[in-house]
mmCIF file of all heavy atoms in Angstrom:
data_model
loop_
_atom_site.group_PDB
_atom_site.id
_atom_site.type_symbol
_atom_site.label_atom_id
_atom_site.label_comp_id
_atom_site.label_asym_id
_atom_site.label_seq_id
_atom_site.Cartn_x
_atom_site.Cartn_y
_atom_site.Cartn_z
ATOM 1 N N GLY B 69 5.501 -13.835 -4.713
ATOM 2 C CA GLY B 69 4.744 -12.902 -5.547
ATOM 3 C C GLY B 69 4.926 -11.460 -5.151
ATOM 4 O O GLY B 69 4.775 -10.565 -5.953
ATOM 5 N N ARG B 70 5.278 -11.223 -3.871
ATOM 6 C CA ARG B 70 5.500 -9.830 -3.470
ATOM 7 C C ARG B 70 6.881 -9.384 -3.924
ATOM 8 O O ARG B 70 7.772 -10.200 -4.158
ATOM 9 C CB ARG B 70 5.407 -9.703 -1.947
ATOM 10 C CG ARG B 70 3.994 -9.453 -1.484
ATOM 11 C CD ARG B 70 3.948 -9.331 0.016
ATOM 12 N NE ARG B 70 4.410 -10.564 0.663
ATOM 13 C CZ ARG B 70 4.481 -10.713 1.966
ATOM 14 N NH1 ARG B 70 4.166 -9.736 2.758
ATOM 15 N NH2 ARG B 70 4.878 -11.857 2.490
ATOM 16 N N ARG B 71 7.058 -8.064 -4.031
ATOM 17 C CA ARG B 71 8.366 -7.558 -4.417
ATOM 18 C C ARG B 71 9.310 -7.622 -3.230
ATOM 19 O O ARG B 71 8.891 -7.632 -2.077
ATOM 20 C CB ARG B 71 8.255 -6.124 -4.925
ATOM 21 C CG ARG B 71 7.791 -6.069 -6.366
ATOM 22 C CD ARG B 71 8.840 -6.743 -7.266
ATOM 23 N NE ARG B 71 8.396 -6.816 -8.640
ATOM 24 C CZ ARG B 71 7.714 -7.848 -9.155
ATOM 25 N NH1 ARG B 71 7.387 -8.877 -8.408
ATOM 26 N NH2 ARG B 71 7.373 -7.840 -10.417
ATOM 27 N N LEU B 72 10.620 -7.696 -3.556
ATOM 28 C CA LEU B 72 11.614 -7.774 -2.502
ATOM 29 C C LEU B 72 11.825 -6.392 -1.911
ATOM 30 O O LEU B 72 11.946 -5.420 -2.637
ATOM 31 C CB LEU B 72 12.929 -8.265 -3.095
ATOM 32 C CG LEU B 72 12.867 -9.617 -3.795
ATOM 33 C CD1 LEU B 72 14.109 -9.812 -4.639
ATOM 34 C CD2 LEU B 72 12.741 -10.717 -2.760
ATOM 35 N N ASN B 73 11.862 -6.345 -0.603
ATOM 36 C CA ASN B 73 12.208 -5.085 0.024
ATOM 37 C C ASN B 73 13.704 -5.094 0.261
ATOM 38 O O ASN B 73 14.334 -6.143 0.321
ATOM 39 C CB ASN B 73 11.460 -4.933 1.353
ATOM 40 C CG ASN B 73 10.038 -4.491 1.095
ATOM 41 O OD1 ASN B 73 9.779 -3.664 0.228
ATOM 42 N ND2 ASN B 73 9.114 -5.080 1.830
ATOM 43 N N ASN B 74 14.264 -3.928 0.403
ATOM 44 C CA ASN B 74 15.680 -3.844 0.712
ATOM 45 C C ASN B 74 16.568 -4.443 -0.376
ATOM 46 O O ASN B 74 17.592 -5.037 -0.099
ATOM 47 C CB ASN B 74 15.940 -4.535 2.060
ATOM 48 C CG ASN B 74 16.900 -3.739 2.893
ATOM 49 O OD1 ASN B 74 17.307 -2.647 2.480
ATOM 50 N ND2 ASN B 74 17.277 -4.264 4.035
ATOM 51 N N VAL B 75 16.100 -4.332 -1.630
ATOM 52 C CA VAL B 75 16.912 -4.765 -2.760
ATOM 53 C C VAL B 75 16.986 -3.603 -3.748
ATOM 54 O O VAL B 75 15.981 -2.989 -4.076
ATOM 55 C CB VAL B 75 16.290 -5.982 -3.475
ATOM 56 C CG1 VAL B 75 17.099 -6.348 -4.716
ATOM 57 C CG2 VAL B 75 16.224 -7.173 -2.534
ATOM 58 N N GLY B 76 18.193 -3.307 -4.184
ATOM 59 C CA GLY B 76 18.340 -2.267 -5.205
ATOM 60 C C GLY B 76 18.606 -2.931 -6.544
ATOM 61 O O GLY B 76 19.400 -3.863 -6.626
ATOM 62 N N TYR B 77 17.928 -2.475 -7.582
ATOM 63 C CA TYR B 77 18.052 -3.131 -8.892
ATOM 64 C C TYR B 77 18.291 -2.104 -9.975
ATOM 65 O O TYR B 77 17.491 -1.190 -10.173
ATOM 66 C CB TYR B 77 16.756 -3.915 -9.159
ATOM 67 C CG TYR B 77 16.641 -4.503 -10.539
ATOM 68 C CD1 TYR B 77 17.690 -5.226 -11.103
ATOM 69 C CD2 TYR B 77 15.471 -4.360 -11.277
ATOM 70 C CE1 TYR B 77 17.573 -5.782 -12.375
ATOM 71 C CE2 TYR B 77 15.343 -4.915 -12.549
ATOM 72 C CZ TYR B 77 16.403 -5.617 -13.089
ATOM 73 O OH TYR B 77 16.282 -6.165 -14.341
ATOM 74 N N LEU B 78 19.409 -2.239 -10.659
ATOM 75 C CA LEU B 78 19.712 -1.367 -11.803
ATOM 76 C C LEU B 78 19.610 -2.230 -13.059
ATOM 77 O O LEU B 78 20.495 -3.031 -13.331
ATOM 78 C CB LEU B 78 21.131 -0.810 -11.662
ATOM 79 C CG LEU B 78 21.644 0.040 -12.817
ATOM 80 C CD1 LEU B 78 21.020 1.427 -12.794
ATOM 81 C CD2 LEU B 78 23.160 0.179 -12.755
ATOM 82 N N PRO B 79 18.503 -2.117 -13.798
ATOM 83 C CA PRO B 79 18.345 -2.994 -14.954
ATOM 84 C C PRO B 79 19.250 -2.584 -16.116
ATOM 85 O O PRO B 79 19.777 -1.478 -16.135
ATOM 86 C CB PRO B 79 16.884 -2.815 -15.357
ATOM 87 C CG PRO B 79 16.310 -1.793 -14.488
ATOM 88 C CD PRO B 79 17.395 -1.198 -13.657
ATOM 89 N N GLU B 80 19.383 -3.510 -17.050
ATOM 90 C CA GLU B 80 20.237 -3.265 -18.213
ATOM 91 C C GLU B 80 19.680 -2.098 -19.033
ATOM 92 O O GLU B 80 20.421 -1.252 -19.509
ATOM 93 C CB GLU B 80 20.261 -4.542 -19.058
ATOM 94 C CG GLU B 80 21.216 -4.483 -20.212
ATOM 95 C CD GLU B 80 21.140 -5.737 -21.064
ATOM 96 O OE1 GLU B 80 20.219 -6.549 -20.845
ATOM 97 O OE2 GLU B 80 21.986 -5.897 -21.937
ATOM 98 N N ASP B 81 18.329 -2.095 -19.199
ATOM 99 C CA ASP B 81 17.696 -0.995 -19.916
ATOM 100 C C ASP B 81 17.384 0.100 -18.918
ATOM 101 O O ASP B 81 16.503 -0.045 -18.090
ATOM 102 C CB ASP B 81 16.379 -1.456 -20.557
ATOM 103 C CG ASP B 81 16.631 -2.474 -21.638
ATOM 104 O OD1 ASP B 81 17.586 -2.289 -22.404
ATOM 105 O OD2 ASP B 81 15.865 -3.458 -21.703
ATOM 106 N N ARG B 82 18.134 1.187 -18.994
ATOM 107 C CA ARG B 82 17.908 2.279 -18.038
ATOM 108 C C ARG B 82 16.642 3.034 -18.406
ATOM 109 O O ARG B 82 16.360 3.260 -19.568
ATOM 110 C CB ARG B 82 19.063 3.266 -18.060
ATOM 111 C CG ARG B 82 20.423 2.628 -18.180
ATOM 112 C CD ARG B 82 20.890 2.071 -16.833
ATOM 113 N NE ARG B 82 22.296 1.710 -16.900
ATOM 114 C CZ ARG B 82 22.738 0.470 -16.873
ATOM 115 N NH1 ARG B 82 21.902 -0.542 -16.808
ATOM 116 N NH2 ARG B 82 24.035 0.226 -16.897
ATOM 117 N N GLY B 83 15.917 3.467 -17.408
ATOM 118 C CA GLY B 83 14.715 4.251 -17.693
ATOM 119 C C GLY B 83 14.443 5.227 -16.569
ATOM 120 O O GLY B 83 14.326 4.845 -15.412
ATOM 121 N N LEU B 84 14.373 6.511 -16.915
ATOM 122 C CA LEU B 84 14.071 7.540 -15.920
ATOM 123 C C LEU B 84 13.012 8.461 -16.504
ATOM 124 O O LEU B 84 12.965 8.659 -17.719
ATOM 125 C CB LEU B 84 15.330 8.366 -15.628
ATOM 126 C CG LEU B 84 16.463 7.675 -14.860
ATOM 127 C CD1 LEU B 84 17.739 8.493 -14.987
ATOM 128 C CD2 LEU B 84 16.106 7.499 -13.392
ATOM 129 N N TYR B 85 12.173 9.027 -15.638
ATOM 130 C CA TYR B 85 11.198 10.012 -16.109
ATOM 131 C C TYR B 85 11.951 11.252 -16.571
ATOM 132 O O TYR B 85 12.556 11.956 -15.754
ATOM 133 C CB TYR B 85 10.228 10.363 -14.993
ATOM 134 C CG TYR B 85 9.260 9.256 -14.664
ATOM 135 C CD1 TYR B 85 9.401 8.484 -13.514
ATOM 136 C CD2 TYR B 85 8.185 8.980 -15.509
ATOM 137 C CE1 TYR B 85 8.509 7.471 -13.208
ATOM 138 C CE2 TYR B 85 7.292 7.974 -15.210
ATOM 139 C CZ TYR B 85 7.460 7.220 -14.056
ATOM 140 O OH TYR B 85 6.573 6.231 -13.763
ATOM 141 N N LYS B 86 11.910 11.523 -17.868
ATOM 142 C CA LYS B 86 12.731 12.595 -18.440
ATOM 143 C C LYS B 86 12.328 13.978 -17.947
ATOM 144 O O LYS B 86 13.148 14.873 -17.849
ATOM 145 C CB LYS B 86 12.593 12.586 -19.967
ATOM 146 C CG LYS B 86 13.345 11.465 -20.618
ATOM 147 C CD LYS B 86 13.202 11.614 -22.108
ATOM 148 C CE LYS B 86 13.652 10.361 -22.822
ATOM 149 N NZ LYS B 86 13.169 10.332 -24.186
ATOM 150 N N LYS B 87 11.039 14.152 -17.686
ATOM 151 C CA LYS B 87 10.558 15.497 -17.342
ATOM 152 C C LYS B 87 10.746 15.826 -15.861
ATOM 153 O O LYS B 87 10.474 16.939 -15.430
ATOM 154 C CB LYS B 87 9.065 15.638 -17.693
ATOM 155 C CG LYS B 87 8.761 15.454 -19.159
ATOM 156 C CD LYS B 87 9.089 16.697 -19.948
ATOM 157 C CE LYS B 87 8.903 16.460 -21.432
ATOM 158 N NZ LYS B 87 9.583 17.474 -22.229
ATOM 159 N N MET B 88 11.153 14.809 -15.076
ATOM 160 C CA MET B 88 11.307 15.077 -13.639
ATOM 161 C C MET B 88 12.679 15.676 -13.363
ATOM 162 O O MET B 88 13.636 15.439 -14.101
ATOM 163 C CB MET B 88 11.150 13.784 -12.839
ATOM 164 C CG MET B 88 9.716 13.380 -12.599
ATOM 165 S SD MET B 88 9.634 11.792 -11.756
ATOM 166 C CE MET B 88 9.515 12.331 -10.057
ATOM 167 N N LYS B 89 12.748 16.417 -12.262
ATOM 168 C CA LYS B 89 14.039 16.976 -11.881
ATOM 169 C C LYS B 89 14.852 15.903 -11.158
ATOM 170 O O LYS B 89 14.269 15.001 -10.522
ATOM 171 C CB LYS B 89 13.825 18.177 -10.965
ATOM 172 C CG LYS B 89 13.289 19.367 -11.725
ATOM 173 C CD LYS B 89 13.024 20.534 -10.817
ATOM 174 C CE LYS B 89 12.435 21.669 -11.640
ATOM 175 N NZ LYS B 89 11.857 22.702 -10.819
ATOM 176 N N VAL B 90 16.191 16.037 -11.229
ATOM 177 C CA VAL B 90 17.098 15.037 -10.657
ATOM 178 C C VAL B 90 16.764 14.754 -9.190
ATOM 179 O O VAL B 90 16.612 13.600 -8.776
ATOM 180 C CB VAL B 90 18.560 15.523 -10.817
ATOM 181 C CG1 VAL B 90 19.504 14.686 -9.987
ATOM 182 C CG2 VAL B 90 18.952 15.487 -12.289
ATOM 183 N N HIS B 91 16.590 15.822 -8.418
ATOM 184 C CA HIS B 91 16.309 15.647 -6.991
ATOM 185 C C HIS B 91 14.980 14.909 -6.789
ATOM 186 O O HIS B 91 14.885 14.007 -5.941
ATOM 187 C CB HIS B 91 16.279 17.024 -6.311
ATOM 188 C CG HIS B 91 16.100 16.943 -4.832
ATOM 189 N ND1 HIS B 91 14.863 16.864 -4.239
ATOM 190 C CD2 HIS B 91 17.007 16.903 -3.826
ATOM 191 C CE1 HIS B 91 15.021 16.793 -2.932
ATOM 192 N NE2 HIS B 91 16.313 16.815 -2.661
ATOM 193 N N ASP B 92 13.966 15.269 -7.595
ATOM 194 C CA ASP B 92 12.641 14.647 -7.452
ATOM 195 C C ASP B 92 12.677 13.165 -7.821
ATOM 196 O O ASP B 92 12.011 12.337 -7.193
ATOM 197 C CB ASP B 92 11.607 15.364 -8.335
ATOM 198 C CG ASP B 92 11.384 16.799 -7.879
ATOM 199 O OD1 ASP B 92 11.820 17.118 -6.754
ATOM 200 O OD2 ASP B 92 10.801 17.589 -8.638
ATOM 201 N N VAL B 93 13.475 12.827 -8.856
ATOM 202 C CA VAL B 93 13.599 11.421 -9.256
ATOM 203 C C VAL B 93 14.172 10.611 -8.100
ATOM 204 O O VAL B 93 13.670 9.536 -7.749
ATOM 205 C CB VAL B 93 14.528 11.285 -10.497
ATOM 206 C CG1 VAL B 93 14.951 9.851 -10.693
ATOM 207 C CG2 VAL B 93 13.825 11.786 -11.734
ATOM 208 N N LEU B 94 15.221 11.167 -7.473
ATOM 209 C CA LEU B 94 15.867 10.432 -6.377
ATOM 210 C C LEU B 94 14.933 10.320 -5.183
ATOM 211 O O LEU B 94 14.870 9.282 -4.520
ATOM 212 C CB LEU B 94 17.172 11.118 -5.984
ATOM 213 C CG LEU B 94 18.271 11.028 -7.061
ATOM 214 C CD1 LEU B 94 19.499 11.812 -6.641
ATOM 215 C CD2 LEU B 94 18.643 9.576 -7.338
ATOM 216 N N MET B 95 14.169 11.389 -4.922
ATOM 217 C CA MET B 95 13.215 11.358 -3.813
ATOM 218 C C MET B 95 12.162 10.274 -4.071
ATOM 219 O O MET B 95 11.820 9.508 -3.170
ATOM 220 C CB MET B 95 12.560 12.746 -3.698
ATOM 221 C CG MET B 95 11.771 12.980 -2.449
ATOM 222 S SD MET B 95 12.728 12.683 -0.965
ATOM 223 C CE MET B 95 13.174 14.291 -0.443
ATOM 224 N N PHE B 96 11.695 10.203 -5.316
ATOM 225 C CA PHE B 96 10.682 9.210 -5.700
ATOM 226 C C PHE B 96 11.216 7.786 -5.498
ATOM 227 O O PHE B 96 10.574 6.956 -4.853
ATOM 228 C CB PHE B 96 10.286 9.452 -7.157
ATOM 229 C CG PHE B 96 9.464 8.371 -7.796
ATOM 230 C CD1 PHE B 96 8.204 8.032 -7.297
ATOM 231 C CD2 PHE B 96 9.937 7.683 -8.909
ATOM 232 C CE1 PHE B 96 7.444 7.039 -7.891
ATOM 233 C CE2 PHE B 96 9.180 6.686 -9.506
ATOM 234 C CZ PHE B 96 7.933 6.369 -8.993
ATOM 235 N N HIS B 97 12.411 7.517 -6.017
ATOM 236 C CA HIS B 97 12.969 6.171 -5.875
ATOM 237 C C HIS B 97 13.317 5.865 -4.415
ATOM 238 O O HIS B 97 13.154 4.732 -3.963
ATOM 239 C CB HIS B 97 14.204 6.003 -6.769
ATOM 240 C CG HIS B 97 13.851 5.797 -8.211
ATOM 241 N ND1 HIS B 97 13.506 4.565 -8.725
ATOM 242 C CD2 HIS B 97 13.748 6.662 -9.244
ATOM 243 C CE1 HIS B 97 13.223 4.692 -10.009
ATOM 244 N NE2 HIS B 97 13.358 5.950 -10.352
ATOM 245 N N GLY B 98 13.775 6.902 -3.707
ATOM 246 C CA GLY B 98 14.088 6.718 -2.295
ATOM 247 C C GLY B 98 12.849 6.343 -1.500
ATOM 248 O O GLY B 98 12.859 5.420 -0.679
ATOM 249 N N GLU B 99 11.748 7.044 -1.775
ATOM 250 C CA GLU B 99 10.483 6.759 -1.066
ATOM 251 C C GLU B 99 9.955 5.383 -1.448
ATOM 252 O O GLU B 99 9.442 4.639 -0.619
ATOM 253 C CB GLU B 99 9.433 7.822 -1.415
ATOM 254 C CG GLU B 99 9.668 9.136 -0.708
ATOM 255 C CD GLU B 99 8.640 10.194 -1.088
ATOM 256 O OE1 GLU B 99 7.759 9.910 -1.923
ATOM 257 O OE2 GLU B 99 8.739 11.308 -0.547
ATOM 258 N N LEU B 100 10.090 5.048 -2.735
ATOM 259 C CA LEU B 100 9.622 3.744 -3.203
ATOM 260 C C LEU B 100 10.397 2.625 -2.500
ATOM 261 O O LEU B 100 9.847 1.578 -2.174
ATOM 262 C CB LEU B 100 9.820 3.658 -4.723
ATOM 263 C CG LEU B 100 8.824 2.864 -5.535
ATOM 264 C CD1 LEU B 100 7.397 3.276 -5.252
ATOM 265 C CD2 LEU B 100 9.108 3.044 -7.022
ATOM 266 N N GLY B 101 11.676 2.861 -2.266
ATOM 267 C CA GLY B 101 12.508 1.866 -1.585
ATOM 268 C C GLY B 101 12.347 1.920 -0.073
ATOM 269 O O GLY B 101 13.004 1.179 0.650
ATOM 270 N N GLY B 102 11.492 2.811 0.422
ATOM 271 C CA GLY B 102 11.199 2.859 1.858
ATOM 272 C C GLY B 102 12.305 3.502 2.673
ATOM 273 O O GLY B 102 12.456 3.210 3.859
ATOM 274 N N GLY B 103 13.103 4.364 2.064
ATOM 275 C CA GLY B 103 14.228 4.958 2.784
ATOM 276 C C GLY B 103 13.831 6.100 3.696
ATOM 277 O O GLY B 103 12.744 6.648 3.579
ATOM 278 N N SER B 104 14.748 6.428 4.634
ATOM 279 C CA SER B 104 14.502 7.575 5.517
ATOM 280 C C SER B 104 15.678 8.542 5.376
ATOM 281 O O SER B 104 16.702 8.196 4.779
ATOM 282 C CB SER B 104 14.384 7.102 6.966
ATOM 283 O OG SER B 104 15.550 6.392 7.304
ATOM 284 N N ASP B 105 15.530 9.724 5.918
ATOM 285 C CA ASP B 105 16.566 10.756 5.857
ATOM 286 C C ASP B 105 17.015 10.978 4.406
ATOM 287 O O ASP B 105 18.206 11.103 4.092
ATOM 288 C CB ASP B 105 17.753 10.329 6.733
ATOM 289 C CG ASP B 105 18.730 11.477 6.952
ATOM 290 O OD1 ASP B 105 18.295 12.647 6.822
ATOM 291 O OD2 ASP B 105 19.912 11.204 7.203
ATOM 292 N N LEU B 106 16.041 11.006 3.512
ATOM 293 C CA LEU B 106 16.353 10.995 2.081
ATOM 294 C C LEU B 106 17.079 12.251 1.615
ATOM 295 O O LEU B 106 17.971 12.172 0.775
ATOM 296 C CB LEU B 106 15.066 10.800 1.265
ATOM 297 C CG LEU B 106 14.440 9.405 1.411
ATOM 298 C CD1 LEU B 106 13.093 9.348 0.714
ATOM 299 C CD2 LEU B 106 15.359 8.347 0.830
ATOM 300 N N LYS B 107 16.717 13.401 2.193
ATOM 301 C CA LYS B 107 17.342 14.644 1.729
ATOM 302 C C LYS B 107 18.859 14.587 1.894
ATOM 303 O O LYS B 107 19.615 14.944 0.994
ATOM 304 C CB LYS B 107 16.767 15.836 2.493
ATOM 305 C CG LYS B 107 15.492 16.333 1.871
ATOM 306 C CD LYS B 107 15.086 17.662 2.445
ATOM 307 C CE LYS B 107 13.812 18.115 1.746
ATOM 308 N NZ LYS B 107 13.169 19.211 2.424
ATOM 309 N N ASN B 108 19.298 14.136 3.081
ATOM 310 C CA ASN B 108 20.739 14.062 3.330
ATOM 311 C C ASN B 108 21.403 13.026 2.445
ATOM 312 O O ASN B 108 22.497 13.227 1.932
ATOM 313 C CB ASN B 108 21.001 13.732 4.803
ATOM 314 C CG ASN B 108 20.736 14.940 5.673
ATOM 315 O OD1 ASN B 108 20.869 16.070 5.196
ATOM 316 N ND2 ASN B 108 20.332 14.712 6.908
ATOM 317 N N LYS B 109 20.702 11.879 2.265
ATOM 318 C CA LYS B 109 21.282 10.823 1.421
ATOM 319 C C LYS B 109 21.460 11.326 -0.007
ATOM 320 O O LYS B 109 22.483 11.086 -0.646
ATOM 321 C CB LYS B 109 20.359 9.601 1.407
ATOM 322 C CG LYS B 109 20.504 8.715 2.631
ATOM 323 C CD LYS B 109 19.596 7.514 2.498
ATOM 324 C CE LYS B 109 19.568 6.713 3.786
ATOM 325 N NZ LYS B 109 18.487 5.734 3.788
ATOM 326 N N ILE B 110 20.421 12.024 -0.495
ATOM 327 C CA ILE B 110 20.481 12.529 -1.875
ATOM 328 C C ILE B 110 21.646 13.508 -2.009
ATOM 329 O O ILE B 110 22.449 13.417 -2.942
ATOM 330 C CB ILE B 110 19.139 13.199 -2.261
ATOM 331 C CG1 ILE B 110 18.048 12.136 -2.371
ATOM 332 C CG2 ILE B 110 19.268 13.953 -3.579
ATOM 333 C CD1 ILE B 110 16.642 12.685 -2.504
ATOM 334 N N ALA B 111 21.778 14.420 -1.028
ATOM 335 C CA ALA B 111 22.860 15.414 -1.085
ATOM 336 C C ALA B 111 24.217 14.706 -1.078
ATOM 337 O O ALA B 111 25.117 15.048 -1.853
ATOM 338 C CB ALA B 111 22.736 16.365 0.096
ATOM 339 N N TYR B 112 24.354 13.672 -0.218
ATOM 340 C CA TYR B 112 25.615 12.940 -0.100
ATOM 341 C C TYR B 112 25.996 12.283 -1.426
ATOM 342 O O TYR B 112 27.113 12.431 -1.925
ATOM 343 C CB TYR B 112 25.490 11.888 1.014
ATOM 344 C CG TYR B 112 26.580 10.850 1.004
ATOM 345 C CD1 TYR B 112 27.848 11.145 1.512
ATOM 346 C CD2 TYR B 112 26.355 9.569 0.476
ATOM 347 C CE1 TYR B 112 28.861 10.190 1.495
ATOM 348 C CE2 TYR B 112 27.354 8.622 0.452
ATOM 349 C CZ TYR B 112 28.610 8.933 0.959
ATOM 350 O OH TYR B 112 29.609 7.994 0.925
ATOM 351 N N TRP B 113 25.024 11.568 -2.020
ATOM 352 C CA TRP B 113 25.329 10.817 -3.244
ATOM 353 C C TRP B 113 25.544 11.746 -4.445
ATOM 354 O O TRP B 113 26.414 11.490 -5.285
ATOM 355 C CB TRP B 113 24.215 9.806 -3.547
ATOM 356 C CG TRP B 113 24.371 8.545 -2.745
ATOM 357 C CD1 TRP B 113 23.688 8.215 -1.622
ATOM 358 C CD2 TRP B 113 25.282 7.477 -3.004
ATOM 359 N NE1 TRP B 113 24.104 6.992 -1.150
ATOM 360 C CE2 TRP B 113 25.090 6.520 -1.989
ATOM 361 C CE3 TRP B 113 26.251 7.235 -3.974
ATOM 362 C CZ2 TRP B 113 25.817 5.326 -1.928
ATOM 363 C CZ3 TRP B 113 26.974 6.046 -3.921
ATOM 364 C CH2 TRP B 113 26.763 5.109 -2.901
ATOM 365 N N LEU B 114 24.747 12.815 -4.531
ATOM 366 C CA LEU B 114 24.931 13.754 -5.654
ATOM 367 C C LEU B 114 26.326 14.364 -5.585
ATOM 368 O O LEU B 114 27.007 14.528 -6.601
ATOM 369 C CB LEU B 114 23.863 14.853 -5.625
ATOM 370 C CG LEU B 114 22.459 14.440 -6.062
ATOM 371 C CD1 LEU B 114 21.497 15.615 -5.940
ATOM 372 C CD2 LEU B 114 22.453 13.921 -7.500
#
Side-chain angles (χ1 to χ4, degrees):
Chain B
R70 272 180 299 179
R71 279 297 175 269
L72 302 165
N73 281 320
N74 222 4
V75 176
Y77 172 48
L78 176 76
E80 186 183 10
D81 294 319
R82 320 281 192 250
L84 290 165
Y85 289 105
K86 285 183 193 163
K87 299 281 175 197
M88 279 176 94
K89 288 178 182 166
V90 168
H91 184 274
D92 295 346
V93 165
L94 292 176
M95 192 55 101
F96 168 61
H97 283 277
E99 284 179 359
L100 213 52
S104 56
D105 192 23
L106 291 173
K107 275 192 179 166
N108 285 332
K109 280 182 188 167
I110 291 170
Y112 165 78
W113 278 101
L114 286 178

